[in-house]
Amino acid sequence: MLLLPGLICDERIFAAQLAHFPQAQAAADYGDATTLEEMARRVLATAPARFALLGHSMGARVAVEIVRQAPARVARLALASTGMHLPRDGEAAKRYWLRDLGRTKGHEALVDAWLPPMIGPASAFDHALHARLRAMCVEAGLDKFEAQIAALLARLATEDVLGTVAVPTLIAVGADDRWSPPAQHRAIAALIPHARLVVIPGAGHMLPAERPAAFNAAIADWLALPIDPDLPEGEEK
């Protein structure tokens, strides 16, 4: 099982998943890639011949690009805390505002503005969680943030890819995700034949770290699904 982190995140966002699933491994760093297509190529260059693929946030967009480039290599697909729409009005301005904040006041100021809304209200006072996530995001640095938002703003349409997915698919989201809300995930699930949608209570956008036990349970259920194109549709939990 290959895990793909999101914007200015790394394998630490999946600490609980890596500890729980011995077959899991985090993808290599995306480096300085400025397109999702290049990120996907870099992941594929070091990935096993065939694998279960789980992407979180931007990593889910990379996962769909991997399906576009090498569908036969993906045995299962999981998309968490994400979106599959093209850039919307105002998105570029919000991302550039953060970029400019980082340029003028430093990357730590950028992270301190960006990260808190990514965490759900139930974890608002979990200071240890905040500290771990903040350290991860600060360590990524401004150059990586700029490269990755360039990739996000240049993203391609995905509806054509999602409609072709014929492997067991999990769509997971925190009930309190303000950046990528549950309704957005219902729309994604509707595009993928037989996708299973799981909405996890008490979690925001940083779902893998905020509610690891519930997320791990959803992953275990997904891994147990038969690889069968005629598997029944999963119901929302």
Side-chain angles (χ1 to χ4, degrees):
M1 180 169 64
L2 194 58
L3 309 177
L4 306 183
L7 179 66
I8 56 173
C9 294
D10 59 27
E11 69 277 359
R12 284 172 281 187
I13 192 68
F14 296 122
Q17 290 71 53
L18 291 166
H20 188 78
F21 296 100
Q23 72 271 45
Q25 64 181 72
D29 188 87
Y30 305 126
D32 59 356
T34 57
T35 67
L36 298 178
E37 298 94 314
E38 178 58 25
M39 292 178 188
R41 285 192 288 270
R42 293 186 185 195
V43 172
L44 284 165
T46 59
R50 188 165 165 81
F51 46 87
L53 184 60
L54 186 157
H56 174 251
S57 192
M58 182 191 73
R61 293 186 181 274
V62 177
V64 172
E65 181 57 32
I66 287 173
V67 174
R68 189 196 303 272
Q69 293 183 20
R73 294 179 63 181
V74 179
R76 301 174 185 271
L77 179 66
L79 308 175
S81 312
T82 194
M84 291 294 136
H85 52 277
L86 290 170
R88 292 170 174 159
D89 291 345
E91 179 180 334
K94 291 178 183 177
R95 295 192 186 278
Y96 290 148
W97 181 87
L98 286 164
R99 177 202 64 188
D100 293 344
L101 179 65
R103 288 178 176 180
T104 58
K105 294 189 177 181
H107 185 61
E108 289 192 19
L110 183 161
V111 172
D112 288 339
W114 174 78
L115 179 59
M118 297 289 147
I119 299 171
S123 299
F125 299 102
D126 186 337
H127 301 299
L129 173 66
H130 281 248
R132 291 195 303 272
L133 294 176
R134 184 181 187 276
M136 173 184 68
C137 296
V138 167
E139 189 176 313
L142 181 59
D143 287 346
K144 187 163 291 185
F145 179 83
E146 294 201 24
Q148 292 181 356
I149 65 166
L152 286 167
L153 291 173
R155 61 188 184 259
L156 303 174
T158 58
E159 288 85 352
D160 58 331
V161 181
L162 297 175
T164 68
V165 173
V167 297
T169 301
L170 168 67
I171 309 297
V173 60
D176 299 322
D177 191 332
R178 288 168 281 184
W179 180 256
S180 303
Q184 190 163 285
H185 292 73
R186 293 187 184 99
I188 296 169
L191 294 171
I192 302 174
H194 312 302
R196 173 172 292 188
L197 174 65
V198 177
V199 180
I200 296 178
H205 192 70
M206 295 302 190
L207 168 60
E210 290 182 63
R211 289 292 180 268
F215 189 47
N216 286 351
I219 293 171
D221 288 346
W222 165 65
L223 291 174
L225 291 173
I227 299 180
D228 182 345
D230 295 322
L231 79 170
E233 289 191 32
E235 295 184 357
E236 179 177 338
K237 294 184 178 179

